[in-house]
Structures are given as structure tokens and as C-alpha cells.
Amino acid sequence: MPRRALRLPLRPAARPLRPARRPRANQGGGKGSAGKGSGGQGTAAGAGSNENGKAGKCRTDELKITATDSTITGDPDGTVAVQLKNTGGRDCAISGYAGVDLKTNAGALSAKRSGEQATSIVLKSGKSVAFGINYPLNTSGGSGVRITGLLVTPPNETKSVSLPWPGAGSLPVTNGSGSPVKVGPVGSAGQGG
């Protein structure tokens, strides 16, 4: 019997999304909405940033986006890790795949999704999450397709950020059978602080 008494307070906190159909007067969230002092009523649960205890989505303007070459010597493909750091001053939710376009001397080249399962992440203020871009290394000896930049659009956003390309300077020329560049889901390249 004591075990059931201990479990009861946990059950309402596990289902904070059901009452989300009410009109939302304050979607931006505010201080104290991270689940403190709900009085056991189950209305403010978890680490959210709005009145329903649910974090709002991460916006491009709230993310500091950087890219670094993460290629391991000896690997057949190159890897660039793209890090998204939450600088918005609130926790936010992010999941899925970012849009990734490589700027090249032959025009834009869109990366294909890797097909890995995407997970939903609540990105705490000041914390980072990353994803990887894999691309074939140009070992042909020819000039290949020169990469001049990187365009990243966070998941579920339309605003992009232009970055310098930190990886190898060119891709091998292909026969046009689709993009050789692949992008993993957010969270697939580890997390940092």
C-alpha cells in the first residue's frame, strides 16, 4: 500500500499534455514555469516554458549554430558536426532533421536524410546538441565539385544560417544519381555543454 501512495503523485506529472487544448494566453512562458510549486495540481509539470509545462520549439534566432570538421583519419567519408547552442534564455524543444545545403561552384547541393530515427529533445538554456553531415571525400585526384559554404535550417524552421564550410574543399564528381551528402537527425552527433 505505501508504494501505491508514492506512485500516485507521479502519474499526473507523466500526462501534462492532455489539457493542452485550452486557449493559451501566454505561450512564451515565463519565470517559474519549470514545474515549481504546482501544489500537486498537475498543471505545471516538467521543464517546459509555457503554461502547459511544454517547451516551445527552438527558433533559429535563439540558436548559435557552428560547424566543425569531425573527420577521423582513415575514414572513407568526411564528417562535419553542426552544433546548435540554445542562447534564447529559455528551454526549447527540437526534433527531426535540419535542412542542409552545401554551396558549391556548381550550385546548391541538398543533403539527404540518413533515415536514422529522430528523437525529441528539450534543449536547456545554454546547452548544445549536434548532428552530423557525412560526405564522400574526393580522392580522385581531380578538382571535383568545390564547396564554398554551408546553409543550415534548424528543424521546423524556415530561417537559415549561412556558415563557412569546415570540411574538405571538394566532393568527387558523381554521375548524377542523387546527393552523396547525408545528414543525421538532431542529437545524432552527441551532445556537449
Side-chain angles (χ1 to χ4, degrees):
M1 195 72 150
R3 287 187 183 181
R4 286 188 185 191
L6 291 175
R7 288 184 187 180
L8 289 176
L10 296 178
R11 289 183 187 211
R15 296 189 282 158
L17 301 179
R18 289 280 186 223
R21 298 204 194 286
R22 290 186 219 158
R24 298 178 191 164
N26 179 9
Q27 291 189 21
K31 296 177 184 173
S33 64
K36 295 180 183 177
S38 68
Q41 297 174 358
T43 57
S49 56
N50 72 19
E51 69 186 27
N52 297 313
K54 183 177 168 187
K57 77 175 185 175
C58 296
R59 302 281 185 184
T60 304
D61 291 337
E62 299 173 326
L63 298 170
K64 178 181 179 186
I65 303 173
T66 56
T68 56
D69 184 1
S70 296
T71 302
I72 297 172
T73 304
D75 276 359
D77 291 330
T79 303
V80 167
V82 178
Q83 185 178 51
L84 303 112
K85 182 175 183 176
N86 181 354
T87 60
R90 66 175 180 92
D91 295 353
C92 62
I94 190 165
S95 68
Y97 286 80
V100 172
D101 292 310
L102 272 59
K103 299 177 193 175
T104 75
N105 61 334
L109 176 65
S110 295
K112 288 186 177 180
R113 294 178 176 188
S114 67
E116 293 175 63
Q117 179 71 29
T119 59
S120 184
I121 299 166
V122 174
L123 190 57
K124 302 283 185 189
S125 180
K127 296 296 181 181
S128 300
V129 67
F131 65 88
I133 302 170
N134 295 317
Y135 61 96
L137 294 171
N138 184 10
T139 57
S140 68
S143 61
V145 177
R146 189 170 38 87
I147 304 170
T148 59
L150 174 64
L151 201 61
V152 176
T153 308
N156 304 309
E157 281 291 286
T158 56
K159 185 175 182 182
S160 299
V161 174
S162 184
L163 301 169
W165 175 252
S170 67
L171 298 171
V173 175
T174 62
N175 62 3
S177 61
S179 175
V181 180
K182 301 224 182 299
V183 60
V186 170
S188 63
Q191 284 185 263

